[in-house]
Each structure stands twice: as structure tokens, then as C-alpha cells.
Amino acid sequence: MKISPARKAAFDVLLRVERDAAFSSALLPQFESQLNEKDRALCHELALGVLRRKLYLDAFIEQLSSGKRIDIEIRIALQLALFQLLFLDRVPAHSAINESVELAAHANKSSAKGFVNAVLRSFQRGQPKLIFEDAAGRISIESSHPLWLVDKWIADFGFETAVAICVANNKTPSLAFRPINYDEHLIERLKQTDGIRASDIVRNCFIAETFNSEVRRFADNGSIYFQDEGSQLVAQCVIDIAGRNVLDVCGAPGGKTSMIAKSTGAFVVAGDLHFSRVEGLRNTCRNQSANVQVIQLDATAGLPFNEKSFDTVLVDAPCSGTGTIRHNPEIRYSIRKTDIDELSGKQLLILENASDAVAGNGRLIYSTCSLEREENEEVGALFLQRNSEFSLELPPIERRFHTSEGFGRTFPHRDDMDGFFMAVFRRR
């Protein structure tokens, strides 16, 4: 039986994510560019659907296979079939099963075709009942989030909020984007296009529920840039308080940097650590005709600028990315509690090094796309304790995003955008 291009591409993406620790957000555009529109949509749904439900699917596989050790290629073939059987009513069961059997052969595992068929036919005859030790264990498996992360969110935010975050992370997010150039004619066309609405919190930001033909047309002609609403909110925060010059310390991939440069008259400098990221940052700015001076720098070792030389400094720090799980579902499986502890130390170091470049009465903006207090509130509090010449200001964003501690936060379950943290410090 021939394997559909969509299922084959989804399988290959999932295998790369598993084997190479690659990111689905980078792989999917590569594989989907070779597919027609119908197959592209199915590939996208299958790959991200499996990643969002991996632990749940694996729980069934463990029962159906009696805990037998399974090669990763065969596990992915089973995951793809089970996802379709459980969540895609429009896909015929025989197609899901038969093509996953053939995926075993595609992976040079023909000897496992009978095993794949037997497991899936067994599931079709009767879905096994999953048993959980407690409520947190149920949330972990049913929402496919590691138990340690579920426990942590329960401790940090409470049980109901933790559940809501997990549920939101498995929903297909809407598409947020902005016009690359401010063009009143384009803005008006976007406002009048069915399926597209203007953001009510970020200027010139638009939201589409699906990647329909109209959105694709705007994307193909290079008139829009996809960027989450929360990310744009951070950039707008910088724009609203930007001085004559702005430094973006951790600028890659360049979405915030280019937005700041395009929306202010400031002299903008941006950098990042690795050459590949610097090149990506430079390309993003070049493609948007954003006037940015791009350099390579190591912010953990100090910055190559005179002290107090920038009115505004943004530290969009490297972080765990747990606020972006709905867009990058594989993050939840790779991040560890020890990673969060290590990142918080690095974030504080970068923030303190960057603070040297802030001019008198200037602002230092700290942001992450993490939900974790260790990377956010705790870093901000430690910075203030150790740097008495800085004071905390409320971010210039809507009050609903302000926290009781004087910071800014967005949440995927509450705000229908990625989870971002913002802190604004003013040098006295």
C-alpha cells in the first residue's frame, strides 16, 4: 500500500525531532514546502498532534504491547495511527492503520509490520483503560506533560491554573502576525479580510484562526511577519519607552528587534552569542528593511560597549521556553528542573552585565518566554537586591497583565497567547 505524502512527511519530522533533538517549528516548513495544500495541512496536524499527545499515546502503546521494548521508528508509526484513531474522526480507521503498518517498511523495519498491525487492531477492538496514581498523574498523562512539570505548576499557580495551562498547551494556537511595513492600504485590507481580526492589545498586530488561503497570500508576497501576540507585546513595551538608542542583547531570531527598529526612530544595536543566530538575526532585519547594527557578543562575559551608553536595553534572555509549549510542544519533553536552575543563574548574569550599558534615567527591560518563577520574578528580585541604583517600574502594558509584584505576565490559558514575562528597571 502506498503511504500518503502527508503521513510520510509527518513521520520523518517526528523521527528527526526524536533522534536529532530538532525543532518541529524549523522542520515542518521544510517538509511542507514539498506538499500540496491538503497534504500540508494533514502533515502539520499529524506531527504537532502526536507531539502534543505523546505521553497519552505512549500510555496506550505500553499497555497494548505489554511493556515490550519498541524501536523509535515503530513507536512513531504507532503514535501516528493512534492519534488519528483517537482524535481525527474524518480519517478512516483502515487508512490510519494500514499506512502506519507501511511506515514500518518505510523505516526499514518490515519485520515489525505484523506487530504494528496487531497492536492497532487490538486497540480498535477495545480501547484500554488507563489507570492513574493520583490527580497530578492523570493530568500528566492525559495532557502529555511530564509529571515533574505538572507538580511544579500546581505548586506555583494552584491546581486549577496548572490544569488550564496544560489544556491550553494542547490547543492549536491562532496565528498572530504583523505587517512588515506600516501601509494604511494593507492595514485596511487585513481588517476587511474574513478570518482575520485586529489585536485589541498590540498595535498593528493581527490574528487569524487558521492558515487560510488569504493569510498564505499575504505571507507568500512577503507583506507580513508571523510573531506571537505576547512576543509583540514585549516589543511594544520597549517601543513605548525607547530612548534615542536601544540595545537588544539577545536579539535572535530578530522578531522583537526588527519590530522595535521599524516602529521607533531610535538607533538600534542587536547581538547574540552564536554565529548562526547572529546570521539569522541579520537576515530577519535585512528582510524587513529594519535598520539595525548587528554584532556577535557573549553577554555572559560582559558587553563591548562603554558604560551607560544606551537609553534603553532589552534583555530577552535565553530561557526554558515553557511559555511557548503550545507552539513548540516538544519542549516539554526535553526541559529538566535542573535546566531551569541553571538558566536562572545565567539570566541574572546577563541582566547584570547588560545593566552596565544603561544610561542614567534609562530603562532596562528583562523578558522571557518562560512561565517559571525561578526565571522571572526571582531573577528580578535578586537583580534589585544586588543593584540598588535600579528601581522597578510597571511595564507600560494593560493593567490586566500586571502582577501584584510589579511585573508583567501573559498566560496561554488566560490570554490566548504565549506565556511571557516582563520587568522594567529604571536607573536612578
Side-chain angles (χ1 to χ4, degrees), residues 285-332:
C285 294
R286 183 186 297 120
N287 292 340
Q288 297 187 43
S289 299
N291 187 14
V292 178
Q293 301 300 309
V294 178
I295 64 171
Q296 187 170 358
L297 55 80
D298 181 357
T300 64
L303 301 183
F305 307 106
N306 293 330
E307 290 188 2
K308 301 182 179 181
S309 53
F310 287 90
D311 297 320
T312 312
V313 176
L314 169 63
V315 175
D316 185 35
C319 67
S320 63
T322 54
T324 69
I325 286 176
R326 63 189 199 139
H327 279 109
N328 306 287
E330 62 271 19
I331 286 176
R332 69 185 88 179

Side-chain angles (χ1 to χ4, degrees), residues 44 51 85 113 133 158 161 211-212 249 254 257 277 305 388 396 416 428:
H44 202 87
L51 289 171
L85 293 172
K113 290 173 65 175
E133 290 188 4
T161 298
F211 192 56
N212 56 36
V249 176
T257 307
R277 291 181 62 79
F305 307 106
S388 58
D416 191 25
R428 296 190 180 94

Side-chain angles (χ1 to χ4, degrees), residues 4 11 28 34 72 85 146 149 196 234 299 305 341 349 364:
S4 71
F11 177 89
L28 281 168
Q34 305 169 38
I72 186 57
L85 293 172
L149 189 57
I196 296 177
V234 173
F305 307 106
D341 296 334
L349 176 59
L364 173 64

